Structures are given as structure tokens and as C-alpha cells.
């Protein structure tokens, strides 16, 4: 595909790296020539320096024959104008835009070919808020991902010493829970992926990814680790876009305190939130945390836009007795450094946003894409089309489908029914298959496998 990416910030650069590795023709547009030069040194891409919404800049970037335009600059307005220009002058078929402001995204009539021609808009703040909400829903989870509109979930948990499954084979899960169907899609042990089988033994410290119907997630989690008690008290550090959205989304279910440095912002938050308590001060102020009984806090969430401030306030909160800390980190280099030590979960907004963007970039009928393990692995939801003559998948049992190495099928969703993958299951047209890729580079082979060929009568 010929793809133009507007904006070479964190999201634009990570997206370019993801897509360039899949042999797409990528051009990145940005005002900063140094940033573009640095990208070009690392990746096989084209670059154009200039204002992303200007018609002459888009023309130089090749908008006339582009398949897809992705606008991820820091300005909502530039992103929207760029999509408008691409549609009006170049008839670019698909336009995806990052839009941060709730004022725009809440008005549906704004978007469409007869208004602002954006085919898909993505709000990173909203995606991160939903992601954190799912983590809070399942205490003890490291990652929770939705498939088939929430019918199926993929959950990552850490197996602990003394957990019911540690030292046992995976086949024992079925013996313990004969009525609950689940499948372990992958295990990461000391950073290395293991494709599990029934006789794989779970070790303490393993990150176990399992897939199950939403209603069965809690029973399966209790098999893999002692269940954490449901969270009650949350402290959110940072009353910015994400902090405010999260507080508003969860204040009716949890006891929420939000710490914000700016007095004016505190006043605005106190007017917008109905139950959450707004505190003026710094989240790394030892006395303030002590005064607010941080040791009684179930989850401390550092959600400011400053990585270093988030890391330091999280470490302090943990040292002072917060039971769990979740930290927002935009620099990918920091994520692997800090997760798993004092910081329980490091959240990368780029990886969450990119999963959502890739859903619209992938060829064929890929319905959902989620990045796992900070982007090293991927989980896909893909729709099977065609019939037994035109498809390599439809009409075949799961054990007859030749999957690329490192790829496994976790579940099928047929209408409202969730079927956990077993070898005897047969794929029917329009089934949603949830696949797990330990090696992301196999994506092209997966797309090819699901392509519908010609059937000869």
C-alpha cells in the first residue's frame, strides 16, 4: 500500500516503523527536518518537509496516488484540514485522523464525505481510558484486550509462587474447571515466547496470555494466581485529558482522588467531576501522599504527560505503601526498563493507539489488531470469507489449516457464540477467528492465508 503519514511525533514514528517493516510504501510529512532525517536513517521511507495540511506539501508527498492518509500531527485542526484537502483535491480513498478534543468527537454530524471527510477518527485519550478501565475491572491483570465487541477477552496475568497452576501442566486447568473453556495462547518466560501445549508446565514469573469468553475470565484468573481483592480506592496523578476522562468514567464505582499541580485546572476539574475529590499539589510530594493515606490506596495511576514525573511519583507511591501502581509512559525505551519492578504496569499510549490504527491498515477483513508485549507480538481478529473452494480456511477443521510458524488460533466467534479453539472445530463463512502471533513479521502470511481466491465451477 502507498501510505502517507502526517506527523513524525511518537505515534507517527512508531507507526512508520511498524508499516515500513511490512513492505508498504511510506512517506512521512513533518515540519521538523531533523526529526525526518533521523527517521530516514533508521527506516526505508520517503520524507517531505512542510506543513501537513498544505496542498503543495501533500502533492509532493504523493497524495494523488496514495491508498491511505493517516493524520497524526499534534493539532486536531491540521489533521482535519489535511483530510479535507486530500479528499477535495486528490480523492484519497481512506483518511484516518487522530482527534483529541472531545468537542469534535462528540458531534457525529461533523464527519463524513459531505462534511469533514474523515473515514476513521482515533482518540488516543479515549483508547487509553478504556484500556485502564478494563485493567481496573480485573484486579491482577497485566493486559486486557477485547475481541468480537467484548464477547471474548485476551488477558495477560503473571503466575506467582503459591499460585494454583504454578508447577502444573496446562492440561490441569481443564481438570480443575471442566465447565469453563479457555485456551492459553502464549507464555512469555524471561522475555522469550513459548508456544504452549497441554504438557507445558507453568513457572513462577511467567506472563500467561489466555483467551476466554468474557464471563469466564475471573474463574480462569483464579486458577492462574490468587485473586486480588476488587479495587476500591484510586489515586490519579495528573488531571489532564486522560486523568479527567478516567476520573469521570470510574468515579461512580470507585473512591477516586485526583492530584493536579495547576490551581486553575483543579477548579475546572472540581466543577466537571461529581464525586471525585480534587487535590491541588504535586504527586511526588511525600507529605501530601502521607496526608492522603497513600498506604490505603489500591491503585495509584500516574497519568501526567511527563514520563519522568510519572515514574518518580509511581516509585514514591509504591515505596509509601500503594498496593499497585500503573504508569503512563510515552517513551518506548522506558517501558521495558520499568515494568515488573516497583511499577506493576507501564502503559504505552503509542502501542494502544497503533493497535487501533493497524486495524484499518491491514488488508482483508481484519476486524481488530492489538499489540502485545510492547509491540513484539500481536493478536488479531479476522473474518473468514468465501467457501471451501475459494478459501484455505472455510470448511476446514482447525487441525487441517496450515498456520505459519509462531501463529495459533485462540477462539472462534460465530454470531453471539464463543467457541474456544479445539482441533475438531470447523470454520464456517463469516466466523471471526482470534489469532495470536508471537512473531509480528508473519502478518503477511496470515493475510494471504485468509484471502479468498477464485473458485472454478
Amino acid at each position: 500500500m502507498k501510505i502517507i503519514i502526517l506527523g513524525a511525533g511518537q505515534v507517527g514514528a512508531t507507526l512508520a516503523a511498524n508499516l515500513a517493516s511490512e513492505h508498504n510504501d511510506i512517506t512521512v510529512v513533518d515540519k521538523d527536518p531533523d526529526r525526518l532525517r533521523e527517521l530516514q536513517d533508521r527506516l526505508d521511507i520517503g520524507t517531505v518537509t512542510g506543513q501537513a495540511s498544505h496542498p503543495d506539501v501533500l502533492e509532493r508527498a504523493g497524495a494523488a496516488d496514495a491508498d491511505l492518509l493517516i493524520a497524526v500531527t499534534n493539532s486536531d485542526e491540521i489533521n482535519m484540514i489535511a483530510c479535507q484537502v486530500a479528499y477535495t483535491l486528490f480523492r484519497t480513498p481512506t483518511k484516518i485522523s487522530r482527534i483529541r478534543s472531545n468537542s469534535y468527537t462528540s458531534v457525529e454530524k461533523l464527519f463524513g464525505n459531505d462534511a469533514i471527510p474523515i473515514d476513521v477518527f482515533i482518540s488516543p485519550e479515549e483508547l487509553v481510558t478504556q484500556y485502564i478501565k478494563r485493567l481496573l475491572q480485573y484486579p491482577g491483570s497485566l493486559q486486557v484486550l477485547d475481541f468480537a465487541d467484548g464477547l471474548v477477552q485476551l488477558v495477560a496475568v503473571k503466575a506467582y509462587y503459591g499460585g494454583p497452576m504454578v508447577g502444573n501442566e496446562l492440561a490441569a486447568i481443564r481438570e480443575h474447571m471442566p465447565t469453563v473453556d479457555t485456551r492459553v495462547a502464549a507464555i512469555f518466560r524471561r522475555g522469550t515466547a513459548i508456544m504452549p501445549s497441554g504438557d507445558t508446565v507453568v513457572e513462577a514469573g511467567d506472563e500467561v496470555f489466555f483467551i476466554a469468553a468474557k464471563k469466564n475470565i475471573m474463574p480462569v484468573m483464579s486458577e492462574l494466581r490468587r485473586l486480588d481483592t476488587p479495587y476500591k480506592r484510586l489515586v490519579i496523578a495528573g488531571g489532564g485529558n486522560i486523568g479527567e476522562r478516567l476520573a469521570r468514567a470510574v468515579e461512580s464505582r470507585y473512591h477516586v482522588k485526583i492530584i493536579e499541580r495547576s490551581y486553575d485546572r483543579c477548579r475546572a476539574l472540581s466543577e466537571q467531576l461529581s464525586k471525585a475529590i480534587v487535590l491541588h499539589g504535586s504527586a511526588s510530594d511525600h507529605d501530601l501522599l502521607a496526608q492522603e493515606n497513600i498506604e490505603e490506596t489500591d491503585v495509584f495511576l500516574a497519568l501526567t504527560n511527563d514520563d519522568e514525573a510519572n515514574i518518580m511519583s509511581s516509585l514514591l507511591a509504591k515505596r509509601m505503601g500503594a498496593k499497585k501502581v500503573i504508569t503512563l509512559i510515552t517513551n518506548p525505551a522506558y517501558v521495558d526498563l520499568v515494568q515488573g519492578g516497583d511499577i506493576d504496569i507501564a502503559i504505552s499510549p503509542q502501542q494502544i493507539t497503533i493497535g487501533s490504527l493497524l486495524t484499518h491498515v491491514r488488508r482483508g477483513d481484519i476486524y481488530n489488531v492489538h499489540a502485545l508485549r510492547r509491540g513484539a507480538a500481536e493478536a488479531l481478529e479476522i473474518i473468514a470469507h468465501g467457501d471451501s473452494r475459494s478459501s484455505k480456511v472455510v470448511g476446514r477443521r482447525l487441525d487441517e489449516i496450515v498456520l505459519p510458524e509462531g501463529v495459533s488460533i485462540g477462539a472462534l466467534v460465530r454470531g453471539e457464540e464463543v467457541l474456544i479453539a479445539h482441533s475438531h472445530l470447523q470454520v464456517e463463512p463469516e466466523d471471526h477467528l482470534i489469532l495470536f502471533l508471537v512473531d509480528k513479521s508473519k502478518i503477511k502470511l496470515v493475510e494471504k492465508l485468509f484471502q479468498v481466491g477464485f473458485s472454478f465451477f
Side-chain angles (χ1 to χ4, degrees), residues 53 55 58 63-64 69 80-95 112-119:
S53 55
L58 288 173
L69 178 108
M80 290 191 288
I81 292 293
C83 290
Q84 180 74 67
V85 171
Y87 177 73
T88 307
L89 298 184
F90 307 107
R91 284 291 183 260
T92 306
T94 310
K95 299 153 298 296
N113 285 346
D114 53 346
I116 300 170
I118 294 172
D119 301 294

Side-chain angles (χ1 to χ4, degrees), residues 217-237:
I217 294 293
M218 288 307 260
V220 179
M221 277 183 75
S222 67
E223 277 296 297
L224 292 165
R225 50 173 294 142
R226 284 189 302 273
L227 271 184
D228 296 27
T229 51
Y231 302 140
K232 291 192 181 78
R233 294 183 180 83
L234 313 181
V235 171
I236 298 172

Side-chain angles (χ1 to χ4, degrees), residues 154-181:
L154 180 74
V155 179
V157 293
K158 195 166 216 163
Y160 281 111
Y161 283 109
M165 274 303 294
V166 172
N168 292 319
E169 294 183 351
L170 290 177
I173 294 183
R174 168 134 312 159
E175 292 162 24
H176 283 222
M177 299 186 299
T179 58
V180 173
D181 210 359

Side-chain angles (χ1 to χ4, degrees), residues 134 137-139 141 143-147 150-157 177 180-183 209-225 227 418 420:
R134 290 196 296 271
Q137 203 176 344
Y138 298 119
S141 58
Q143 200 167 12
V144 182
L145 304 169
D146 272 352
F147 291 97
L151 287 173
V152 181
Q153 289 183 317
L154 180 74
V155 179
V157 293
M177 299 186 299
V180 173
D181 210 359
T182 183
R183 184 181 178 88
F209 284 84
F210 71 88
I211 195 161
K214 188 173 184 175
K215 63 178 188 297
N216 293 333
I217 294 293
M218 288 307 260
V220 179
M221 277 183 75
S222 67
E223 277 296 297
L224 292 165
R225 50 173 294 142
L227 271 184
V418 176
I420 298 301

Side-chain angles (χ1 to χ4, degrees), residues 233-386:
R233 294 183 180 83
L234 313 181
V235 171
I236 298 172
N241 241 324
I242 295 174
E244 183 201 336
R245 276 175 194 252
L246 182 66
R248 193 182 296 143
V250 302
E251 63 179 348
S252 57
R253 291 183 56 191
Y254 305 97
H255 183 270
V256 179
K257 290 178 179 175
I258 186 163
I259 302 172
E260 169 57 45
R261 292 185 84 122
S262 157
Y263 182 71
D264 291 341
R265 183 70 183 147
C266 281
R267 290 197 62 157
L269 286 169
S270 62
E271 287 163 15
Q272 286 156 8
L273 301 170
S274 54
K275 288 188 173 176
I277 295 167
V278 182
L279 303 167
H280 177 234
S282 164
S284 51
D285 178 343
H286 187 285
D287 295 342
L288 176 63
L289 294 182
Q291 201 177 317
E292 296 304 326
N293 303 323
I294 193 72
E295 70 283 356
E296 290 174 15
T297 300
D298 295 312
V299 189
F300 177 88
L301 300 112
L303 307 177
T304 74
N305 54 11
D306 180 332
D307 284 356
E308 287 79 4
N310 287 345
I311 293 168
M312 295 315 289
S313 61
S314 297
L315 293 175
L316 179 63
K318 189 74 171 193
R319 190 70 45 88
M320 292 178 70
K323 295 179 186 66
K324 176 153 288 193
V325 296
I326 296 177
T327 311
L328 191 73
I329 298 178
T330 52
N331 184 341
Y334 287 174
V335 176
D336 285 329
L337 274 178
V338 301
Q339 174 149 324
D342 282 347
I343 290 172
D344 298 288
I345 301 176
I347 292 178
S348 163
Q350 292 96 304
Q351 286 304 342
I352 297 168
T353 307
I354 277 156
S356 188
L357 284 166
L358 289 178
T359 303
H360 305 288
V361 174
R362 296 275 192 246
R363 287 202 179 277
D365 278 276
I366 293 184
Y367 189 76
N368 238 320
V369 179
H370 289 296
L372 309 167
R373 293 280 309 176
R374 275 77 76 196
E378 237 173 48
L380 304 176
E381 178 179 344
I382 192 162
I383 304 169
H385 287 312

Side-chain angles (χ1 to χ4, degrees), residues 1-8 11-13 15-16 18-19 24-29 52 58 66-73 78-80 82-83 86 92 94-98 118-122 353-354 356-362:
M1 289 175 89
K2 186 169 169 51
I3 300 169
I4 298 173
I5 298 171
L6 307 180
V11 171
L15 187 61
N18 270 273
L19 296 174
N24 293 294
D25 178 2
I26 310 288
T27 304
V28 179
V29 178
L58 288 173
D67 300 303
L68 174 65
L69 178 108
I70 304 173
V72 287
T73 74
I78 288 175
N79 293 341
M80 290 191 288
C83 290
T92 306
T94 310
K95 299 153 298 296
I96 299 174
S97 174
R98 170 165 79 173
I118 294 172
D119 301 294
V120 180
F121 65 78
I122 280 173
T353 307
I354 277 156
S356 188
L357 284 166
L358 289 178
T359 303
H360 305 288
V361 174
R362 296 275 192 246

